Amino acid sequence: MEIRNQALRQLKNRREGFSLEQPFYTDPAYFKLDLEMIWYRDWLFVGHDCELPKAGAYFTLQIGDYPVVVVRGRDNQIRALHNTCRHRGSRVCTKEHGSAVRLVCPYHQWTYELDGSLLVGRQMGQDFDKTQFSMKKVHCESVAGFIFICLANEAPDFAPVRAAIEPYMAPHRLSEAKVAHQSTIIEKGNWKLVWENNRECYHCAANHPELCRTYPESPTATGVQGAKDDPVIAAHWQRCEEAGLPSEFRMDETGQFRVARMPLIEDAESYTMSGRNAVQRKLSDDVTINSIGTMLLFHYPSSWNHILGDHAISFRVTPLGPEETAVTTKWLVHKDAVEGVDYNLEDLTHVWNMTNDQDRQIVEENAFGIRSPAYEPGPYSPLHEGGVMQFVEWYSNFMVNRLQGEQAQLSIVA
């Protein structure tokens, strides 16, 4: 309880426009608090519909202490389940990806249907009621090809997320795409440092030569700082909207998620060294114009995304520890696009493979310096780091509201 009170005091007294106190980036107790207050309570992006092409296809992931399996059922519905056998707790699905007719625990072969209901609990006696021992469900929603889960007993309403992002995503038909490539890198830094680095391009010119060939460094590209007043962005939005592509910057009132369609540099088509398309087969025939830039989708705390005319790139953030974060990147292309014919994998992935590794180095150096006893919160640039300030404000507000709510509940019980 003392850690909760200390974190609450620090957040309520934090200096606006400055980075957080050191424990928020390094302390295991503060990391546990992040898990309990945010990661175990909010909607998290976990993957794509197209990764589960048929009944029995599944993938697994770990969020803090929770192993989860996401599986497509015989009724074609995608579900998420706690990946824990109801017998003695072993993981049921042990591979990262797979396909199964039934979900069978490898320990004692308890067998579950694809919806998690228990089919067979071997030799458990005549009075054993298998209906009481189904795998526990995790809240799961799919929107425009993206799968979100929530570990809380009662999930926040997902309807506002769906209403905001589905119109922007639907024209790209990502539920019908396929994953051409994926990679996971481990960044030795707190998950909030990963996000802070992502939310500004103040560092781009000196650190991302490949990305800067096509992505604008202007702070207006974040959408948070004056995008509507930028004539290039305003003209881009008008052109895309007239072609049936929702484009204007839209952010949830809590600041947790937002969408916008941003132009690339000089009408570049894609994230390649040349600026030309990486994939010759368009991602969707519903997109009828070229030079649509990138559709940016951000959803704290787990995902940022770029959706272009020829492919899409999703990024999933997973906290592994107070100073360790996994970032999983997936490149999606049209389901009928053929590697070696419609695209070259090196051309498709080069810019973001390089950028991801550069960001890893940046985050790790940032984390290294923050460990110093001499560290104290520093000022963000109001010109370039409005997106970072918005992220820290979202984090602080969410944590304060939930910690205060927890205190209020305890006082009522007392």
Side-chain angles (χ1 to χ4, degrees), residues 188-205:
K188 294 180 180 179
N190 186 270
W191 68 274
K192 295 186 291 297
L193 291 182
V194 173
W195 267 109
E196 289 188 39
N197 177 64
N198 171 267
R199 295 311 307 120
E200 48 89 359
C201 218
Y202 192 22
H203 71 279
C204 288

Side-chain angles (χ1 to χ4, degrees), residues 227-295:
K228 289 185 177 181
D229 299 322
D230 186 317
V232 174
I233 292 176
H236 183 72
W237 286 349
Q238 181 178 354
R239 176 174 171 272
C240 290
E241 296 267 357
E242 289 173 352
L245 298 175
S247 299
E248 289 193 9
F249 176 77
R250 178 175 181 180
M251 182 164 65
D252 174 63
E253 62 182 10
T254 69
Q256 185 173 21
F257 56 88
R258 62 180 173 277
V259 285
R261 201 175 301 276
M262 293 296 178
L264 299 181
I265 292 175
E266 296 178 352
D267 292 327
E269 295 286 351
S270 191
Y271 291 127
T272 58
M273 296 299 287
S274 67
R276 295 190 293 270
N277 283 326
V279 187
Q280 299 311 307
R281 181 75 182 259
K282 289 201 311 182
L283 189 58
S284 169
D285 291 335
D286 290 347
V287 177
T288 58
I289 60 173
N290 296 323
S291 302
I292 63 170
T294 177
M295 200 223 83

Side-chain angles (χ1 to χ4, degrees), residues 245-408:
L245 298 175
S247 299
E248 289 193 9
F249 176 77
R250 178 175 181 180
M251 182 164 65
D252 174 63
E253 62 182 10
T254 69
Q256 185 173 21
F257 56 88
R258 62 180 173 277
V259 285
R261 201 175 301 276
M262 293 296 178
L264 299 181
I265 292 175
E266 296 178 352
D267 292 327
E269 295 286 351
S270 191
Y271 291 127
T272 58
M273 296 299 287
S274 67
R276 295 190 293 270
N277 283 326
V279 187
Q280 299 311 307
R281 181 75 182 259
K282 289 201 311 182
L283 189 58
S284 169
D285 291 335
D286 290 347
V287 177
T288 58
I289 60 173
N290 296 323
S291 302
I292 63 170
T294 177
M295 200 223 83
L296 302 176
L297 164 63
F298 298 91
H299 191 288
Y300 302 147
S302 61
S303 185
W304 68 84
N305 304 269
H306 292 261
I307 305 174
L308 305 106
D310 65 329
H311 71 283
I313 315 158
S314 67
F315 301 83
R316 186 182 77 198
V317 178
T318 306
L320 302 180
E323 297 182 278
E324 193 170 65
T325 306
V327 177
T328 298
T329 307
K330 297 178 182 178
W331 288 261
L332 284 77
V333 301
H334 190 282
K335 63 182 176 61
D336 295 327
V338 178
E339 183 181 351
V341 177
D342 296 302
Y343 65 94
N344 174 279
L345 199 58
E346 168 63 20
D347 292 340
L348 176 67
T349 61
H350 178 75
V351 168
W352 278 106
N353 273 335
M354 297 297 292
T355 302
N356 284 344
D357 191 58
Q358 292 152 2
D359 280 332
R360 176 191 60 77
Q361 296 176 57
I362 291 168
V363 167
E364 292 178 358
E365 288 298 330
N366 194 184
F368 199 96
I370 285 175
R371 295 186 198 107
S372 169
Y375 166 81
E376 61 181 57
Y380 297 121
S381 163
L383 178 61
H384 290 281
E385 295 175 301
V388 186
M389 288 189 280
Q390 188 275 326
F391 166 74
V392 173
E393 181 181 9
W394 166 81
Y395 170 78
S396 299
N397 288 343
F398 259 52
M399 292 292 284
V400 166
N401 290 339
R402 288 175 178 180
L403 288 168
Q404 287 185 154
E406 190 177 77
Q407 285 188 342

Side-chain angles (χ1 to χ4, degrees), residues 34 54 88 115 143:
D34 281 355
K54 61 181 180 179
R88 284 170 58 187
D115 64 2
V143 53

Side-chain angles (χ1 to χ4, degrees), residues 79-123:
R79 296 179 176 85
L81 305 165
H82 287 284
N83 190 14
T84 303
C85 184
R86 294 297 307 282
H87 176 213
R88 284 170 58 187
S90 290
R91 281 194 304 165
V92 176
C93 299
T94 58
K95 296 190 296 184
E96 185 178 353
H97 290 86
S99 183
V101 177
R102 302 282 189 273
L103 304 181
V104 181
C105 178
Y107 197 0
H108 300 96
Q109 290 73 56
W110 277 36
T111 303
Y112 300 88
E113 183 51 276
L114 298 178
D115 64 2
S117 57
L118 181 62
L119 292 173
V120 178
R122 295 189 309 113
Q123 301 176 9

